[in-house]
Amino acid sequence: MSTTISLSRVRAESRLLFALVDAIACDGRITDSAEASQWQTLRRRVESGANYEAEGPALFDLLLKLERSGSIAETWMEKRWQSVVARLSAK
């Protein structure tokens, strides 16, 4: 299933996306080195003052990768992520 989600909606949820990826990282679920590197880069940018909204699309992409890899399978984080996607996909 392919769903189109607007960038403006993703940007509006960027703080939540950041918090969700942070929770996933704190739980030790980012095990792929490329995903870990991507997260560290995003985290550093935000902590250095980057706008959350500007990082929203990259956070969304990272969450998609984490979901596809099974890293968050059967966790509260997966359920929260799925509810975010459902809300963003709603017309």
Side-chain angles (χ1 to χ4, degrees):
M1 179 178 96
S2 177
T3 303
T4 302
I5 298 174
S6 76
L7 284 178
S8 63
R9 285 185 173 198
V10 169
R11 288 184 178 117
E13 296 286 347
S14 60
R15 288 182 186 265
L16 173 60
L17 298 175
F18 182 89
L20 188 54
V21 177
D22 189 46
I24 292 165
C26 287
D27 202 42
R29 295 188 169 270
I30 302 179
T31 57
D32 178 82
S33 61
E35 292 166 355
S37 177
Q38 183 179 0
W39 166 238
Q40 292 303 319
T41 299
L42 288 166
R43 186 177 58 78
R44 277 193 299 270
R45 284 197 305 240
V46 168
E47 288 175 349
S48 295
N51 186 307
Y52 282 94
E53 290 77 12
E55 304 302 334
L59 290 162
F60 187 88
D61 288 341
L62 179 55
L63 281 158
L64 281 173
K65 290 176 188 175
L66 292 168
E67 179 184 39
R68 288 182 188 134
S69 72
S71 297
I72 60 173
E74 299 180 24
T75 65
W76 70 266
M77 295 162 280
E78 179 184 44
K79 290 176 183 158
R80 186 67 183 111
W81 165 241
Q82 290 169 346
S83 69
V84 170
V85 171
R87 186 172 58 253
L88 292 174
S89 300
K91 297 277 177 183

